[in-house]
């Protein structure tokens, strides 16, 4: 058997997982485990770079993500699932890489200033926050990963990871392959207010929502604002509900609701009921698996421990080479 290429990705533990995370990342991760040697982890240290003042949220988020990883179909027999903070080697590599990382590289990562602007209520003029992409680099290259499935927003982080890997290889020894972003085009998932689904906008449908809550959220979802009465004609292009149909409904259903919207032949509630049926088809197996896992927390912990052991072995192996290359011991 030829060795499969390694894929690695992480999910920051800064909230519960929602439908947007599932469509945009997790579903793809599930597919990749069939073809690659996949390492998937929960980035709990990264969550502290912006959430250091509220650590209690971290535990809840970590548990939710771990359960959802499994409920969504990540299979511990096919991929390695672990928690970042359990592999101290990431921190060691982060420190050693910090010796060779020019400040300017970190300062010019666009997310650095953007996030500081966006999260004005938090003090993000910290050492840890500046180092975010460097910690991410350590996460990736410590496993000598070849591919990193991420959204386009993460491309600058991947770019710096490649630069740092190259710098290390030039200064000391060829140790790290340059990781590549594995970009797959995913439809943008709108939240119930029409903006991008995000935990910080309060517009998300969470994988942990009960069917009742999920249904209620979709029923109160924004539609074409110009269509106020049942008899008004609408424009499906202006309705976030239709954008969700594009993701979850069949072509025929999409045509049917679009036509019905334009001619006022169908009401918004009726249109949403079709969407609910289709979203539930995706969520129901996840809900089912979630309740099994929640009833069996030991199993979930075992998965994480097994994954952590495996990841630690790989990380430690890399660190032996790194320490040696940098003149330690
Ligand atoms: N920064 C990533 C995000 O916000 C999370 C992350 C941390 C990550 N370390 C990583 C992703 C390593 C890929 C590889 O989505």
């Amino acid at each position: 058997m030829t060795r499969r290429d390694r894929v690695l990705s992480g999910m920051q533990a800064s909230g519960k997982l929602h439908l947007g995370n599932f469509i945009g990342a997790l579903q793809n991760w599930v597919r990749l485990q069939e073809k690659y040697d996949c390492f998937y982890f929960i980035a709990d240290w990264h969550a502290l770079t912006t959430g250091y003042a509220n650590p209690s949220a971290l535990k809840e988020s970590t548990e939710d993500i771990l359960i959802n990883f499994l409920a969504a179909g990540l299979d511990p027999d096919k991929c390695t699932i672990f928690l970042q903070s359990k592999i101290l080697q990431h921190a060691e590599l982060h420190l050693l890489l910090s010796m060779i990382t020019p400040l300017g590289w970190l300062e010019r990562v666009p997310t650095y200033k953007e996030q500081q602007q966006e999260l004005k209520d938090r003090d993000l003029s910290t050492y840890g926050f500046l180092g975010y992409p460097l910690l991410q680099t350590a996460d990736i290259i410590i496993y000598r990963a070849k591919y990193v499935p991420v959204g386009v927003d993460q491309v600058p982080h991947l770019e710096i990871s490649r630069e740092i890997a190259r710098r290390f290889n030039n200064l000391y020894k060829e140790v790290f392959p340059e990781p590549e972003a594995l970009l797959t085009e995913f439809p943008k998932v709108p939240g119930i207010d029409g903006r991008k689904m995000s935990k910080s906008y309060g517009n998300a449908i969470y994988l942990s929502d009960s069917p009742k809550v999920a249904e209620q959220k979709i029923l109160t979802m924004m539609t074409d604002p110009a269509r106020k009465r049942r008899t008004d004609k609408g424009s499906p292009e202006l309705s976030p509900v239709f954008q969700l149909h594009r993701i979850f409904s069949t072509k025929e259903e999409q045509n049917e609701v679009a036509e019905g919207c334009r001619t006022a032949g169908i009401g918004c509630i009726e249109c949403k009921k079709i969407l609910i049926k289709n979203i539930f088809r995706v969520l129901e197996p996840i809900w089912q698996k979630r309740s099994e896992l929640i009833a069996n927390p030991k199993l979930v912990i075992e998965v994480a421990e097994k994954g952590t052991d495996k990841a630690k072995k790989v990380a430690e192996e890399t660190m032996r080479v790194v320490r040696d290359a940098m003149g330690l011991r």
Side-chain angles (χ1 to χ4, degrees), residues 8-10 12 41 43 46 132 136 139-140 148 150 154:
L8 172 133
S9 200
Q12 190 173 306
F41 71 98
H46 275 106
Y132 186 112
Q136 181 162 349
D139 296 338
I140 298 167
V148 185
V150 281
Q154 294 292 312

PDB file of all heavy atoms in Angstrom, residues 8-10 12 41 43 46 132 136 139-140 148 150 154, ligand 1:
ATOM      1  N   LEU A   8      -4.562  17.923   7.009  1.00  0.00           N
ATOM      2  CA  LEU A   8      -4.803  18.366   8.379  1.00  0.00           C
ATOM      3  C   LEU A   8      -5.685  19.594   8.389  1.00  0.00           C
ATOM      4  O   LEU A   8      -5.537  20.478   7.546  1.00  0.00           O
ATOM      5  CB  LEU A   8      -3.469  18.698   9.059  1.00  0.00           C
ATOM      6  CG  LEU A   8      -3.646  19.351  10.443  1.00  0.00           C
ATOM      7  CD1 LEU A   8      -2.745  18.712  11.465  1.00  0.00           C
ATOM      8  CD2 LEU A   8      -3.434  20.855  10.392  1.00  0.00           C
ATOM      9  N   SER A   9      -6.620  19.634   9.324  1.00  0.00           N
ATOM     10  CA  SER A   9      -7.361  20.874   9.508  1.00  0.00           C
ATOM     11  C   SER A   9      -7.845  20.992  10.945  1.00  0.00           C
ATOM     12  O   SER A   9      -7.903  19.999  11.674  1.00  0.00           O
ATOM     13  CB  SER A   9      -8.533  20.987   8.539  1.00  0.00           C
ATOM     14  OG  SER A   9      -8.915  22.353   8.438  1.00  0.00           O
ATOM     15  N   GLY A  10      -8.150  22.218  11.322  1.00  0.00           N
ATOM     16  CA  GLY A  10      -8.578  22.480  12.700  1.00  0.00           C
ATOM     17  C   GLY A  10      -9.811  23.350  12.723  1.00  0.00           C
ATOM     18  O   GLY A  10     -10.078  24.111  11.794  1.00  0.00           O
ATOM     19  N   GLN A  12     -11.639  26.096  15.216  1.00  0.00           N
ATOM     20  CA  GLN A  12     -11.425  26.894  16.419  1.00  0.00           C
ATOM     21  C   GLN A  12     -12.581  26.721  17.400  1.00  0.00           C
ATOM     22  O   GLN A  12     -13.743  26.786  17.000  1.00  0.00           O
ATOM     23  CB  GLN A  12     -11.283  28.359  16.037  1.00  0.00           C
ATOM     24  CG  GLN A  12     -10.822  29.207  17.195  1.00  0.00           C
ATOM     25  CD  GLN A  12     -10.530  30.631  16.767  1.00  0.00           C
ATOM     26  OE1 GLN A  12      -9.754  30.855  15.852  1.00  0.00           O
ATOM     27  NE2 GLN A  12     -11.159  31.575  17.419  1.00  0.00           N
ATOM     28  N   PHE A  41      -8.450  18.469  14.271  1.00  0.00           N
ATOM     29  CA  PHE A  41      -8.354  18.783  15.698  1.00  0.00           C
ATOM     30  C   PHE A  41      -9.188  20.011  16.070  1.00  0.00           C
ATOM     31  O   PHE A  41      -9.608  20.789  15.219  1.00  0.00           O
ATOM     32  CB  PHE A  41      -6.890  18.991  16.091  1.00  0.00           C
ATOM     33  CG  PHE A  41      -6.286  20.261  15.545  1.00  0.00           C
ATOM     34  CD1 PHE A  41      -6.206  21.394  16.342  1.00  0.00           C
ATOM     35  CD2 PHE A  41      -5.819  20.314  14.250  1.00  0.00           C
ATOM     36  CE1 PHE A  41      -5.656  22.566  15.846  1.00  0.00           C
ATOM     37  CE2 PHE A  41      -5.274  21.488  13.747  1.00  0.00           C
ATOM     38  CZ  PHE A  41      -5.183  22.612  14.542  1.00  0.00           C
ATOM     39  N   ALA A  43      -9.072  23.475  17.835  1.00  0.00           N
ATOM     40  CA  ALA A  43      -8.052  24.482  18.161  1.00  0.00           C
ATOM     41  C   ALA A  43      -8.518  25.278  19.379  1.00  0.00           C
ATOM     42  O   ALA A  43      -9.075  26.367  19.268  1.00  0.00           O
ATOM     43  CB  ALA A  43      -7.803  25.379  16.956  1.00  0.00           C
ATOM     44  N   HIS A  46      -6.206  28.390  20.053  1.00  0.00           N
ATOM     45  CA  HIS A  46      -6.540  29.512  19.169  1.00  0.00           C
ATOM     46  C   HIS A  46      -7.753  30.296  19.671  1.00  0.00           C
ATOM     47  O   HIS A  46      -7.825  31.508  19.532  1.00  0.00           O
ATOM     48  CB  HIS A  46      -6.785  29.022  17.735  1.00  0.00           C
ATOM     49  CG  HIS A  46      -5.530  28.900  16.928  1.00  0.00           C
ATOM     50  ND1 HIS A  46      -4.955  27.698  16.623  1.00  0.00           N
ATOM     51  CD2 HIS A  46      -4.742  29.841  16.377  1.00  0.00           C
ATOM     52  CE1 HIS A  46      -3.839  27.907  15.928  1.00  0.00           C
ATOM     53  NE2 HIS A  46      -3.703  29.197  15.756  1.00  0.00           N
ATOM     54  N   TYR A 132      -1.069  34.306  16.232  1.00  0.00           N
ATOM     55  CA  TYR A 132      -2.099  33.350  15.776  1.00  0.00           C
ATOM     56  C   TYR A 132      -1.667  32.531  14.552  1.00  0.00           C
ATOM     57  O   TYR A 132      -1.715  31.300  14.564  1.00  0.00           O
ATOM     58  CB  TYR A 132      -3.410  34.124  15.503  1.00  0.00           C
ATOM     59  CG  TYR A 132      -4.612  33.280  15.151  1.00  0.00           C
ATOM     60  CD1 TYR A 132      -5.694  33.185  16.020  1.00  0.00           C
ATOM     61  CD2 TYR A 132      -4.691  32.585  13.937  1.00  0.00           C
ATOM     62  CE1 TYR A 132      -6.816  32.426  15.697  1.00  0.00           C
ATOM     63  CE2 TYR A 132      -5.795  31.816  13.615  1.00  0.00           C
ATOM     64  CZ  TYR A 132      -6.860  31.740  14.497  1.00  0.00           C
ATOM     65  OH  TYR A 132      -7.955  30.977  14.176  1.00  0.00           O
ATOM     66  N   GLN A 136      -0.826  28.470  14.172  1.00  0.00           N
ATOM     67  CA  GLN A 136      -1.482  27.677  13.119  1.00  0.00           C
ATOM     68  C   GLN A 136      -0.428  26.967  12.254  1.00  0.00           C
ATOM     69  O   GLN A 136      -0.603  25.818  11.866  1.00  0.00           O
ATOM     70  CB  GLN A 136      -2.382  28.581  12.264  1.00  0.00           C
ATOM     71  CG  GLN A 136      -3.101  27.815  11.171  1.00  0.00           C
ATOM     72  CD  GLN A 136      -4.302  28.571  10.594  1.00  0.00           C
ATOM     73  OE1 GLN A 136      -4.738  29.592  11.134  1.00  0.00           O
ATOM     74  NE2 GLN A 136      -4.835  28.087   9.500  1.00  0.00           N
ATOM     75  N   ASP A 139       0.754  23.981  14.119  1.00  0.00           N
ATOM     76  CA  ASP A 139      -0.283  22.935  14.032  1.00  0.00           C
ATOM     77  C   ASP A 139      -0.143  22.114  12.762  1.00  0.00           C
ATOM     78  O   ASP A 139      -0.332  20.894  12.764  1.00  0.00           O
ATOM     79  CB  ASP A 139      -1.696  23.560  13.944  1.00  0.00           C
ATOM     80  CG  ASP A 139      -2.110  24.348  15.159  1.00  0.00           C
ATOM     81  OD1 ASP A 139      -1.551  24.113  16.249  1.00  0.00           O
ATOM     82  OD2 ASP A 139      -3.010  25.215  15.009  1.00  0.00           O
ATOM     83  N   ILE A 140       0.142  22.811  11.689  1.00  0.00           N
ATOM     84  CA  ILE A 140       0.135  22.158  10.378  1.00  0.00           C
ATOM     85  C   ILE A 140       1.430  21.400  10.128  1.00  0.00           C
ATOM     86  O   ILE A 140       1.434  20.215   9.805  1.00  0.00           O
ATOM     87  CB  ILE A 140      -0.061  23.211   9.254  1.00  0.00           C
ATOM     88  CG1 ILE A 140      -1.416  23.903   9.406  1.00  0.00           C
ATOM     89  CG2 ILE A 140       0.083  22.562   7.874  1.00  0.00           C
ATOM     90  CD1 ILE A 140      -1.570  25.156   8.544  1.00  0.00           C
ATOM     91  N   VAL A 148      -4.252  21.298   3.402  1.00  0.00           N
ATOM     92  CA  VAL A 148      -5.003  21.870   4.504  1.00  0.00           C
ATOM     93  C   VAL A 148      -6.345  22.392   3.969  1.00  0.00           C
ATOM     94  O   VAL A 148      -6.393  23.458   3.352  1.00  0.00           O
ATOM     95  CB  VAL A 148      -4.216  23.025   5.167  1.00  0.00           C
ATOM     96  CG1 VAL A 148      -4.950  23.547   6.393  1.00  0.00           C
ATOM     97  CG2 VAL A 148      -2.815  22.572   5.550  1.00  0.00           C
ATOM     98  N   VAL A 150      -9.354  24.441   3.936  1.00  0.00           N
ATOM     99  CA  VAL A 150      -9.783  25.647   4.661  1.00  0.00           C
ATOM    100  C   VAL A 150     -10.593  26.533   3.709  1.00  0.00           C
ATOM    101  O   VAL A 150     -10.601  26.320   2.498  1.00  0.00           O
ATOM    102  CB  VAL A 150      -8.576  26.489   5.155  1.00  0.00           C
ATOM    103  CG1 VAL A 150      -7.951  25.918   6.406  1.00  0.00           C
ATOM    104  CG2 VAL A 150      -7.534  26.661   4.061  1.00  0.00           C
ATOM    105  N   GLN A 154      -8.671  31.789   4.977  1.00  0.00           N
ATOM    106  CA  GLN A 154      -7.470  31.283   5.646  1.00  0.00           C
ATOM    107  C   GLN A 154      -6.241  31.269   4.737  1.00  0.00           C
ATOM    108  O   GLN A 154      -5.159  30.869   5.169  1.00  0.00           O
ATOM    109  CB  GLN A 154      -7.728  29.853   6.153  1.00  0.00           C
ATOM    110  CG  GLN A 154      -8.775  29.762   7.259  1.00  0.00           C
ATOM    111  CD  GLN A 154      -8.301  30.402   8.539  1.00  0.00           C
ATOM    112  OE1 GLN A 154      -7.195  30.152   8.997  1.00  0.00           O
ATOM    113  NE2 GLN A 154      -9.126  31.265   9.108  1.00  0.00           N
TER     114      GLN A 154
HETATM  115  N1  LIG B   1      -7.618  29.436  11.907  1.00  0.00           N
HETATM  116  C1  LIG B   1      -8.504  28.343  11.595  1.00  0.00           C
HETATM  117  C2  LIG B   1      -9.933  28.903  11.479  1.00  0.00           C
HETATM  118  O1  LIG B   1     -10.253  29.891  12.087  1.00  0.00           O
HETATM  119  C3  LIG B   1      -8.460  27.273  12.655  1.00  0.00           C
HETATM  120  C4  LIG B   1      -7.137  26.592  12.685  1.00  0.00           C
HETATM  121  C5  LIG B   1      -6.226  26.605  13.687  1.00  0.00           C
HETATM  122  C6  LIG B   1      -6.596  25.781  11.649  1.00  0.00           C
HETATM  123  N2  LIG B   1      -5.154  25.859  13.357  1.00  0.00           N
HETATM  124  C7  LIG B   1      -5.347  25.337  12.110  1.00  0.00           C
HETATM  125  C8  LIG B   1      -7.062  25.407  10.396  1.00  0.00           C
HETATM  126  C9  LIG B   1      -4.534  24.527  11.315  1.00  0.00           C
HETATM  127  C10 LIG B   1      -6.249  24.590   9.602  1.00  0.00           C
HETATM  128  C11 LIG B   1      -4.999  24.161  10.064  1.00  0.00           C
HETATM  129  O2  LIG B   1     -10.747  28.296  10.820  1.00  0.00           O
END
